[in-house]
Amino acid sequence: FAGVLGETLFSVWWRLFYKGKFWTYRVETLIHSYTSLLNFIPWGMGGFLYLNVISRFAANDNLIRTAIASASLPFYIIFCLFFLIGLSVQLLAWPIIVRKKPINFRFETVTPANFLFFCLPLALSIAAVTILYGALMLKLALMFAVIASLAEYIFGKATEFFISKKLWVYNYLAFDNGHFTPLSLMPFALGGFYFWGIALFFQEVFKLFLF
């Protein structure tokens, strides 16, 4: 459920600034083809993939373990706070950017400048947690992006092979008939922190009620 909700929210965020969809689902679609009924199990496995990356590369890191355990504000609260600050800056800057454009203007193509503008909330959040918790946070962001993108590409190719249909296609800077776009590295990096924050939140909830 977290994965389906997350990719839907990401799609809505993308459409605030771009005319086309970042991806389009083609099978058992939901919510303007932003997601699919078939996504619950794959996203569940994706959540475990992210947590496995953390357990292998960060579980024994003292800085990560002690900082998250002892900080007055949990890591995910700090991350979300700076993400919302970045999003607010985006929304406040948007009327200035489009002041001489037609009503309902949206970017039609992805350029380095407008994509950097779109990535502002994520960049601000990663910068904040990297400063507070150390460079490992930046390394984790890169690992989240690369490992999850590779896993999704393999999954997409496998599903097309077995059911003769693409479950989704990417619409911007796409390669291999829409199976991959380098732009997806950004949402997959965000996804790692998203699932990590959810896991930490529910751990605290379970401790509260079970102990």
Side-chain angles (χ1 to χ4, degrees):
F1 279 98
V4 170
L5 176 62
E7 70 177 351
T8 302
L9 291 175
F10 178 85
S11 297
V12 172
W13 176 33
W14 177 267
R15 292 300 300 279
L16 291 175
F17 306 108
Y18 290 92
K19 185 170 292 187
K21 298 174 184 176
F22 190 84
W23 54 62
T24 304
Y25 278 91
R26 293 180 167 183
V27 181
E28 299 294 333
T29 61
L30 292 172
I31 315 173
H32 308 294
S33 300
Y34 290 155
T35 187
S36 167
L37 280 171
L38 304 180
N39 275 5
F40 292 97
I41 292 176
W43 269 123
M45 297 303 294
F48 281 114
L49 174 66
Y50 281 125
L51 297 181
N52 189 53
V53 171
I54 296 164
S55 69
R56 288 181 179 275
F57 295 100
N60 296 322
D61 186 272
N62 263 343
L63 180 62
I64 292 290
R65 185 169 63 250
T66 58
I68 291 175
S70 63
S72 57
L73 284 178
F75 138 79
Y76 51 88
I77 297 295
I78 296 170
F79 190 93
C80 288
L81 175 63
F82 279 91
F83 191 91
L84 290 175
I85 291 172
L87 183 60
S88 298
V89 171
Q90 275 186 328
L91 295 177
L92 290 172
W94 185 245
I96 299 173
I97 293 173
V98 301
R99 65 187 183 280
K100 295 183 179 180
K101 306 291 185 181
I103 297 175
N104 297 325
F105 171 82
R106 298 292 184 272
F107 298 126
E108 292 189 9
T109 59
V110 174
T111 66
N114 63 43
F115 189 66
L116 286 173
F117 170 76
F118 177 75
C119 291
L120 174 64
L122 177 61
L124 187 62
S125 299
I126 293 177
V129 295
T130 297
I131 292 169
L132 290 172
Y133 296 115
L136 182 60
M137 286 292 196
L138 180 58
K139 295 177 183 177
L140 282 173
L142 296 174
M143 285 187 284
F144 290 152
V146 173
I147 293 173
S149 294
L150 178 61
E152 189 220 33
Y153 178 76
I154 294 171
F155 174 73
K157 296 291 285 186
T159 52
E160 185 181 23
F161 176 79
F162 285 111
I163 68 173
S164 300
K165 291 181 181 178
K166 288 188 179 74
L167 294 186
W168 72 89
V169 293
Y170 285 108
N171 299 316
Y172 287 88
L173 300 182
F175 295 89
D176 195 8
N177 295 318
H179 275 294
F180 174 75
T181 173
L183 303 179
S184 68
L185 294 168
M186 178 268 187
F188 280 123
L190 175 60
F193 291 104
Y194 172 73
F195 277 103
W196 191 9
I198 288 171
L200 292 172
F201 172 77
F202 278 106
Q203 284 176 14
E204 293 302 316
V205 171
F206 292 154
K207 289 177 183 176
L208 182 65
F209 286 98
L210 296 180
F211 301 100

